[in-house]
Amino acid sequence: MKVPVPVRHTWPHSIGLVALSAACLCFAEEGDSFEGLSVSGDNILQCANGYRDIDQSSTKKPGDYLTDYLNFDVQMRKLFLQGRFQIDQPSLGYDPSSPVFREFFSRRAVGFNGRNMTFKAGHFMTTFGRGLSLALKEDVTIERATILDGVFMDVHLPLLEIQGLAGRSMTRKVNTVSIDTDDYDEETGETIVIKLELDNPGYRDNIFGIDVASYPFSRFESVPLLSACAVGAGIVDYRSDVSAIKAGREIDTITIDSMGVADTTFVNRYYQNRKNTFLPSIHVELSTGSIDAYAEHARMLYRSHTFVDTLFDERIVDDAESYATYVSLGACFLDFSLMGEYKNYFYGKDNNQGCNVIVEGEYVEPPSARHRHIWQLLTKHVPANTVRDVIGYRLALDWSRFENATFALSYCCGGRHKNRQGRYSLFTFGNDENEDYWDIYLQSNLSIGSRFISKIGANYGKIDPYEPEARYATVGSKFDLGPFLKAHSVGLALELQRNSKEFRAERDSAAVIAVAGPYTPVDESAFDYYSDVPDELKSVHRQWTWNLVATASYSLSPYFAFSATLEKETPFFQGQPVLQSDVTSSDRYYRSVGIKVRPVENHSIQLEAGSYSGGQKCTLGECVMVPSFEGVRLSITSLF
Amino acid sequence: MMRPCIGGRTFISGALVGVAMLSLWPAAALDIGCAPDFTIRDIWGKTVDGAELYAHGVVMVDFWATWCVPCRPELKALAKIHKKYKNSGLTILTISEDGVEETAAVKQFVRTEKMPFVVIVDRNKQLMKLFHASAVPTLFLIEKGGKIRATHIGFLSGDEKKIEKEVASLIEEMGKNQAKETNKDAPVEGK
């Protein structure tokens, strides 16, 4: 079955951008002659034996591996050639299932870099506004990036800033279609389990976007009230065509009747999803000496959305609409700094997003049901000693009365992204989770010179969507002691965090069923009722744990450095608080030692052994974002 | 604008693999290279032109992040250096690696810490890639003309004195050069 929905190519847009760039080039540049060739870059060679991404079991890659990233930047006056030549051998062993040795240019771009404009053809990343309508970015800790392959133009003029792009996503090859659902029929006592994983032989997408920001008062820098005012607007046109033609060899529909007898059927299936999406956005910024405000609004309009699924005999041609809004306000008065943020994602009717709404059902004696629905809310907050997360409303107040001390208080409420990978999809729409969340956070930063730095934070709130009655409290502190000796730097960094949870199951509790489904606006009051729970199921259950990160370091700066890290992490159990048998709590230890030798200014050799939890790592006054790893790793970094 | 900088990274090579092999040879410690050109807006909307800054005087470029603990004392130390040398031609440019969506948090940090510098939010780490920095804090000390004279990766106690010494040395050097140029341009007595 073919559904004739046109998916236009982006080459007309590309030609348009090239022409526009050429025009800008003629007027914006001074026409200097080409002089010499300049080459710079870095080369990172890693030989390792161990596991990559130890926190993500799906991408676990055991064994030896070798990677070499040669990042280069060749410049001839204002022309440049950038790229990354990547050699990737995920496994040097004899595992037949491991990928083969690969050599390829994983990043490549050519272009022109002038004082007023940049034009690039190849791979690129950019963000429109604060990223509501388009956000292309990279996170090395999870080895995930959203990159476009096409042409990109960025023009900086005194009164105007223009970004234009036309291309296609580089992640299109990894997409698969998978469905995994189960349903229980109370009347017949049957459980129907559907498991499906389709290869995805066809994926095409085309993206065109332009964002223009005007700084109308930037000429008047003597008037600070007006100079930092910007008004902008952007559009993104996204066309995707996903099809799994006969790729679904079979679908397993397993029906388990009330006697426990299973019946399996196999169904051939055709799946297709075509979407033409249009995202207009506007953003306004105003900054003065003591107040700054920013507002951005983006709409997602499915101008054409065709979804075909032969299994369910489903063919939907649908137009839907959703929007996202972000507002931030910052101000300072006396010694106080105030910041408020609000982000709201609202979905219209969309049959292919899924997982937008969590419906909670409860089944106890007597039967009861509960439905919870809140708006899609996202803002940012950094919990103590954990990786950066994107969650809830945010209101932050900082007090810096004293030179070496800062006190911060913040309040968050709302939802957050499904997971960190979810932030790295092409569009942020559809990658958040509807959660009822709030959190109050108090933090102090104290420093005595640069030898003693203390960061002490505590938060109290409700964070877990699957445990609606849970209260969560964290007291964390971070100390950076030393170095004690000047010639031979010896340092000790301690990070200590106490987490506690309290589960209150006094009113309701039992097996919570989370069902992912399409968004359907439902009157909350119609479902929001509870029933009495037997006394034996009522309980107040408390948990607490300590997390510790201790790093001892020695450096004969800048030529030799040694560090040893011990990290203990006790995760909270997953499951229902009243079902104690589900408790699967186990401590996790990360122990690592590392030696870094820097024989000359631009070259370093680093040997690491042990396990690393990944994320932000600070050793010897230096912070890097690292992916999680377990094993032995030798890295040679050369800057040229 | 013409850039007088001729750095250690400028050479001609045919093959990129050859370049990679060349890079393994030790390089001169102070001959690091030229600072890259860029034009970008700071967090308050003002245009920052790298070439203009390099032509004006000594420039310090510092990469930092709000979550980076060692960056906090480093920024405080830079504030003191800025106060002392801002009238002698020193410009400090601080580049936040928090991401553009965290701009509000960066502004909050700048207000709280009363940072007196030019502050830029690095969109998609493009400036970090231009400078080939890989960690925070990383500080580049750039002489007038755009040549990178020193790089500091990380910040430990005592580094602030070393940085201040290097800044003082560069400013003194810049003053001497300016005096020489002034003498050249001045008419010789008796002629």
Side-chain angles (χ1 to χ4, degrees):
Chain A
M1 186 189 300
K2 293 263 181 184
V3 180
V5 175
V7 177
R8 287 187 295 179
H9 293 282
T10 53
W11 61 266
H13 301 309
S14 305
I15 292 172
L17 279 178
V18 171
L20 187 58
S21 302
C24 292
L25 192 68
C26 293
F27 292 103
E29 297 304 321
E30 298 168 2
D32 294 332
S33 60
F34 298 152
E35 285 185 354
L37 190 67
S38 166
V39 181
S40 62
D42 55 71
N43 188 73
I44 303 166
L45 172 71
Q46 283 192 349
C47 310
N49 174 277
Y51 292 88
R52 296 162 85 175
D53 296 335
I54 57 177
D55 287 335
Q56 302 163 37
S57 56
S58 59
T59 56
K60 206 176 226 182
K61 295 173 184 172
D64 302 334
Y65 68 89
L66 169 93
T67 58
D68 188 275
Y69 292 168
L70 171 63
N71 298 302
F72 56 87
D73 184 354
V74 184
Q75 300 218 11
M76 181 187 278
R77 293 296 298 163
K78 291 172 181 178
L79 298 176
F80 65 83
L81 169 69
Q82 294 169 339
R84 172 184 292 173
F85 184 69
Q86 184 172 334
I87 298 172
D88 193 5
Q89 170 57 291
S91 175
L92 295 173
Y94 44 82
D95 180 4
S97 64
S98 66
V100 294
F101 189 87
R102 294 185 300 165
E103 293 175 323
F104 62 111
F105 283 96
S106 56
R107 305 275 169 86
R108 57 186 187 279
V110 293
F112 172 86
N113 192 12
R115 284 185 60 197
N116 296 326
M117 71 160 295
T118 301
F119 175 77
K120 189 184 272 192
H123 299 160
F124 62 88
M125 288 187 283
T126 190
T127 305
F128 284 180
R130 298 275 169 93
L132 286 192
S133 61
L134 184 74
L136 308 170
K137 50 193 172 183
E138 183 175 25
D139 187 339
V140 295
T141 61
I142 53 173
E143 296 180 333
R144 185 64 67 96
T146 43
I147 301 169
L148 291 189
D149 189 3
V151 292
F152 172 70
M153 180 191 73
D154 189 4
V155 179
H156 283 267
L157 298 172
L159 299 176
L160 212 58
E161 204 165 281
I162 305 167
Q163 287 188 87
L165 60 91
R168 53 186 56 200
S169 168
M170 281 182 64
T171 56
R172 60 189 181 277
K173 291 176 184 171
V174 298
N175 278 19
T176 57
V177 180
S178 66
I179 293 176
D180 190 351
T181 63
D182 57 88
D183 193 18
Y184 175 72
D185 190 333
E186 285 182 34
E187 289 183 4
T188 61
E190 288 182 342
T191 302
I192 299 170
V193 181
I194 299 172
K195 290 185 183 298
L196 170 69
E197 198 158 302
L198 298 177
D199 294 329
N200 181 8
Y203 188 97
R204 289 188 300 164
D205 67 334
N206 295 299
I207 301 165
F208 169 74
I210 190 159
D211 186 79
V212 180
S214 167
Y215 294 80
F217 305 112
S218 60
R219 288 284 186 193
F220 309 104
E221 295 202 353
S222 58
V223 188
L225 280 174
L226 298 176
S227 61
C229 173
V231 180
I235 52 165
V236 176
D237 187 35
Y238 176 58
R239 296 154 192 274
S240 70
D241 179 9
V242 184
S243 59
I245 306 165
K246 211 181 171 181
R249 303 168 304 277
E250 68 269 343
I251 178 167
D252 299 342
T253 306
I254 308 165
T255 306
I256 306 168
D257 64 16
S258 56
M259 303 298 289
V261 178
D263 182 23
T264 305
T265 55
F266 300 93
V267 180
N268 286 323
R269 187 177 185 203
Y270 171 76
Y271 171 94
Q272 188 173 47
N273 186 23
R274 285 181 163 181
K275 279 195 285 190
N276 287 0
T277 311
F278 186 66
L279 294 100
S281 64
I282 54 168
H283 45 93
V284 181
E285 185 170 11
L286 179 68
S287 295
T288 70
S290 57
I291 296 174
D292 68 89
Y294 182 88
E296 186 170 341
H297 181 76
R299 298 186 82 83
M300 182 183 257
L301 310 170
Y302 296 115
R303 293 195 298 199
S304 170
H305 182 194
T306 304
F307 182 85
V308 176
D309 191 331
T310 54
L311 174 68
F312 300 109
D313 194 21
E314 195 173 19
R315 176 179 167 154
I316 301 163
V317 178
D318 189 24
D319 290 328
E321 185 176 339
S322 55
Y323 65 80
T325 306
Y326 171 74
V327 178
S328 76
L329 180 70
C332 62
F333 55 95
L334 301 176
D335 297 314
F336 294 94
S337 302
L338 179 71
M339 184 196 57
E341 281 184 297
Y342 170 75
K343 190 185 277 186
N344 179 15
Y345 283 19
F346 177 79
Y347 293 91
K349 192 178 175 186
D350 182 4
N351 289 290
N352 197 36
Q353 289 289 340
C355 301
N356 293 339
V357 175
I358 295 171
V359 181
E360 291 181 359
E362 297 183 5
Y363 186 79
V364 291
E365 290 295 335
S368 69
R370 193 179 73 170
H371 168 76
R372 177 168 60 88
H373 165 65
I374 57 171
W375 282 37
Q376 306 278 348
L377 300 168
L378 293 176
T379 52
K380 307 170 194 70
H381 171 57
V382 187
N385 304 330
T386 60
V387 293
R388 185 168 290 249
D389 201 356
V390 180
I391 42 180
Y393 289 93
R394 185 179 185 193
L395 187 65
L397 180 68
D398 284 34
W399 185 44
S400 56
R401 177 70 184 84
F402 309 102
E403 189 184 355
N404 293 319
T406 307
F407 301 94
L409 176 69
S410 73
Y411 172 74
C412 300
C413 178
R416 56 184 163 182
H417 282 284
K418 283 176 192 169
N419 50 43
R420 295 186 67 201
Q421 281 78 8
R423 299 178 64 188
Y424 291 86
S425 60
L426 198 58
F427 303 108
T428 49
F429 285 90
N431 287 288
D432 52 316
E433 205 161 44
N434 192 6
E435 294 179 7
D436 183 9
Y437 169 90
W438 64 266
D439 176 34
I440 190 161
Y441 181 55
L442 179 67
Q443 180 184 293
S444 67
N445 295 294
L446 303 168
S447 60
I448 301 172
S450 56
R451 288 172 184 275
F452 179 88
I453 304 157
S454 162
K455 194 173 183 178
I456 301 170
N459 75 327
Y460 181 76
K462 171 182 169 181
I463 63 160
D464 201 328
Y466 295 101
E467 293 154 355
E469 297 301 317
R471 294 289 181 270
Y472 181 80
T474 299
V475 178
S477 59
K478 191 182 263 187
F479 301 97
D480 200 346
L481 306 173
F484 305 113
L485 303 170
K486 283 184 182 175
H488 303 268
S489 297
V490 179
L492 179 64
L494 282 174
E495 199 175 318
L496 200 60
Q497 180 174 298
R498 183 186 188 277
N499 300 312
S500 64
K501 267 184 182 177
E502 183 178 284
F503 300 98
R504 292 193 170 273
E506 291 168 318
R507 283 195 311 164
D508 53 79
S509 181
V512 172
I513 304 163
V515 180
Y519 171 78
T520 309
V522 181
D523 182 10
E524 186 175 345
S525 60
F527 289 86
D528 193 12
Y529 62 89
Y530 302 92
S531 62
D532 294 333
V533 175
D535 289 341
E536 60 269 22
L537 289 179
K538 292 180 179 176
S539 67
V540 176
H541 181 72
R542 293 184 181 88
Q543 271 199 330
W544 62 271
T545 183
W546 288 94
N547 287 352
L548 169 73
V549 181
T551 303
S553 53
Y554 169 81
S555 84
L556 190 62
S557 183
Y559 306 107
F560 175 83
F562 169 82
S563 67
T565 302
L566 169 68
E567 187 172 348
K568 177 179 178 286
E569 185 182 273
T570 307
F572 290 119
F573 68 84
Q574 301 292 316
Q576 277 304 298
V578 292
L579 303 176
Q580 297 297 323
S581 59
D582 288 347
V583 175
T584 54
S585 178
S586 60
D587 292 352
R588 173 175 272 179
Y589 288 92
Y590 300 98
R591 305 176 187 89
S592 60
V593 291
I595 296 171
K596 190 172 185 178
V597 182
R598 212 171 153 196
V600 284
E601 185 75 22
N602 295 334
H603 307 277
S604 67
I605 302 166
Q606 191 167 8
L607 180 64
E608 300 158 287
S611 53
Y612 299 83
S613 59
Q616 301 156 356
K617 295 291 164 198
C618 296
T619 311
L620 292 166
E622 178 184 338
C623 297
V624 289
M625 302 287 276
V626 294
S628 57
F629 172 76
E630 186 176 348
V632 181
R633 181 165 56 186
L634 175 71
S635 308
I636 302 171
T637 305
S638 305
L639 182 68
F640 56 90
Chain B
M1 186 175 295
M2 293 296 289
R3 291 268 315 282
C5 174
I6 301 171
R9 294 187 203 172
T10 305
F11 54 92
I12 297 175
S13 174
L16 291 171
V17 177
V19 171
M21 296 302 290
L22 277 173
S23 71
L24 296 175
W25 287 93
L30 287 176
D31 195 9
I32 297 169
C34 296
D37 280 352
F38 57 88
T39 306
I40 200 164
R41 287 191 195 272
D42 71 0
I43 57 171
W44 310 113
K46 302 276 177 10
T47 300
V48 179
D49 188 324
E52 276 182 16
L53 288 180
Y54 306 147
H56 178 258
V58 177
V59 179
M60 254 203 267
V61 177
D62 184 49
F63 290 88
W64 63 283
T66 55
W67 48 264
C68 162
V69 176
C71 295
R72 199 175 284 263
E74 191 216 25
L75 290 168
K76 284 184 189 298
L78 292 188
K80 287 177 184 168
I81 294 171
H82 179 263
K83 193 177 176 183
K84 195 170 177 182
Y85 294 100
K86 66 179 178 184
N87 295 326
S88 307
L90 173 70
T91 306
I92 298 182
L93 196 65
T94 58
I95 299 165
S96 164
E97 292 302 319
D98 286 275
V100 70
E101 69 272 24
E102 302 286 342
T103 305
V106 171
K107 285 183 175 179
Q108 171 79 347
F109 186 90
V110 169
R111 279 191 296 266
T112 305
E113 296 293 316
K114 301 179 177 69
M115 286 167 60
F117 325 116
V118 179
V119 182
I120 291 167
V121 171
D122 195 3
R123 193 181 286 261
N124 304 311
K125 301 189 185 301
Q126 59 183 21
L127 288 177
M128 206 172 190
K129 284 172 191 161
L130 270 178
F131 279 85
H132 297 289
S134 58
V136 286
T138 297
L139 188 143
F140 295 91
L141 192 56
I142 301 161
E143 70 175 18
K144 187 179 178 181
K147 189 172 181 180
I148 298 173
R149 290 289 296 267
T151 308
H152 292 269
I153 302 169
F155 184 82
L156 296 171
S157 178
D159 283 355
E160 67 273 19
K161 289 176 185 168
K162 193 179 173 189
I163 293 166
E164 187 176 346
K165 200 175 169 183
E166 287 169 350
V167 169
S169 167
L170 278 185
I171 286 176
E172 191 184 341
E173 202 176 296
M174 183 176 73
K176 282 179 184 172
N177 289 340
Q178 278 176 346
K180 275 183 191 173
E181 285 176 12
T182 311
N183 289 339
K184 272 184 190 175
D185 296 339
V188 180
E189 274 184 39
K191 287 194 176 180

